[in-house]
């Protein structure tokens, strides 16, 4: 399975600022996704990061708040903009590689724990 | 609609006992995946079961799927303290954006030494 890393692993930010989270995969993958896990909650899909085009956002999430880039098949960034305490969550990227033997399986990175004061 | 509702929400057992967690969902699926999360860290993929499969094993894990009842169960046999974690089921729906994973709320398993 792909090895996924995220930077930073955690951060404490002031409200009104922005934070960019990086997701790096050790091999080319078909699909990359960004999820949010609010405290004590389950995971919710924010968007699908599309290589070379705009991300596809889920209901309730917008590009102005969560701009996403995916310049190639191994890297993606998620920015949390104009942060408020409600954005305090764990942000996780995940990947699927349809070219591999287990293409339906989604593998997750270690997550970025964000606290907004 | 919300998919992947697990029960129980929390489960506490003694080391060596078996732990069973259940998951229900609402729509047609391509597959159902189980994950483990330790202390708010990343998710570890445990097992994937496809809609045309009824049972799968992986080590001490046994997963069943009943598509007629839209439910799945995860059994961990001979539990260990290291199995203490939150367990989530997630479904990939058939049709449309069928890559999307929809997660349940999870079961917090505590295995007491």
């Amino acid at each position: 399975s792909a090895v996924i890393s995220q930077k930073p692993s955690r951060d404490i930010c002031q409200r009104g600022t922005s934070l960019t989270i990086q997701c790096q995969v050790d091999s080319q993958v078909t699909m990359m996704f960004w999820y949010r896990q609010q405290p004590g909650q389950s995971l919710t899909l924010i968007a699908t990061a599309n290589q070379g085009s705009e991300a596809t956002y889920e209901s309730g999430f917008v590009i102005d708040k969560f701009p996403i880039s995916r310049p190639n098949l191994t890297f993606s960034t998620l920015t949390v903009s104009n942060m408020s305490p409600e954005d305090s969550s764990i942000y996780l990227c995940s990947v699927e590689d349809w070219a591999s033997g287990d293409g339906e399986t989604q593998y997750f990175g270690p997550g970025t724990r964000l606290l907004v004061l | 609609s919300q998919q992947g509702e697990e029960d129980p929400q929390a489960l506490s057992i003694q080391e060596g006992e078996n732990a069973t967690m259940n998951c229900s969902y609402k729509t047609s699926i391509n597959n159902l995946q189980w994950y483990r999360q330790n202390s708010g860290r990343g998710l570890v993929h445990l097992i994937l079961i496809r809609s045309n499969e009824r049972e799968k094993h992986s080590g001490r894990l046994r997963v069943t799927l009943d598509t007629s009842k839209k439910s799945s169960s995860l059994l961990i046999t001979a539990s260990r303290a290291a199995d203490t974690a939150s367990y989530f089921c997630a479904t990939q729906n058939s049709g449309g954006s069928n890559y999307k994973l929809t997660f349940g709320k999870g079961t917090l398993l505590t295995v007491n030494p």
Side-chain angles (χ1 to χ4, degrees):
Chain A
S1 64
V3 176
I4 307 164
S5 59
Q6 285 185 233
K7 289 182 185 179
S9 59
R10 58 177 62 226
D11 207 342
I12 301 173
C13 300
Q14 298 298 317
R15 67 175 68 207
T17 62
S18 299
L19 176 72
T20 295
I21 302 168
Q22 299 180 3
C23 178
Q24 179 74 55
V25 193
D26 70 341
S27 60
Q28 294 185 344
V29 293
T30 314
M31 307 290 289
M32 294 183 77
F33 309 93
W34 287 98
Y35 288 80
R36 180 178 73 182
Q37 185 179 27
Q38 295 176 300
Q41 303 296 313
S42 187
L43 281 77
T44 302
L45 179 64
I46 297 172
T48 302
N50 299 311
Q51 194 249 333
S53 65
E54 192 172 288
T56 304
Y57 289 85
E58 296 298 308
S59 176
F61 297 96
V62 294
I63 187 172
D64 289 347
K65 177 66 175 177
F66 297 103
I68 287 171
S69 78
R70 189 179 174 194
N72 56 51
L73 295 177
T74 64
F75 185 78
S76 178
T77 66
L78 167 74
T79 298
V80 186
S81 303
N82 188 24
M83 288 184 285
S84 68
E86 291 72 34
D87 294 319
S88 298
S89 297
I90 300 173
Y91 292 87
L92 302 106
C93 73
S94 72
V95 306
E96 274 189 26
D97 183 16
W98 295 351
S100 73
D102 61 350
E104 298 164 281
T105 301
Q106 274 194 30
Y107 294 100
F108 283 78
T112 296
R113 187 184 291 267
L114 171 62
L115 176 63
V116 183
L117 301 177
Chain B
S1 61
Q2 185 152 7
Q3 291 274 71
E5 300 275 352
E6 288 98 330
D7 78 87
Q9 291 189 337
L11 179 63
S12 182
I13 59 174
Q14 295 300 121
E15 215 167 17
E17 295 180 339
N18 296 342
T20 299
M21 289 159 271
N22 302 297
C23 169
S24 61
Y25 57 92
K26 296 179 180 176
T27 63
S28 296
I29 63 171
N30 277 334
N31 64 66
L32 187 146
Q33 305 184 38
W34 284 92
Y35 290 86
R36 183 185 75 228
Q37 185 179 41
N38 293 83
S39 300
R41 302 178 61 131
L43 271 69
V44 174
H45 188 267
L46 297 176
I47 201 163
L48 178 153
I49 187 166
R50 294 185 175 85
S51 60
N52 61 352
E53 297 175 315
R54 293 296 167 259
E55 187 172 312
K56 269 186 113 167
H57 297 256
S58 177
R60 293 184 295 114
L61 306 180
R62 173 177 170 254
V63 168
T64 63
L65 179 65
D66 186 335
T67 53
S68 66
K69 295 181 179 178
K70 291 186 168 59
S71 68
S72 174
S73 68
L74 171 67
L75 168 67
I76 304 174
T77 59
S79 64
R80 306 166 182 168
D83 294 328
T84 295
S86 292
Y87 291 82
F88 294 92
C89 71
T91 55
Q92 273 192 338
N93 299 341
S94 57
S97 301
N98 58 1
Y99 51 78
K100 175 182 175 180
L101 278 182
T102 304
F103 281 82
K105 295 180 180 178
T107 294
L108 176 59
L109 173 66
T110 302
V111 181
N112 301 300

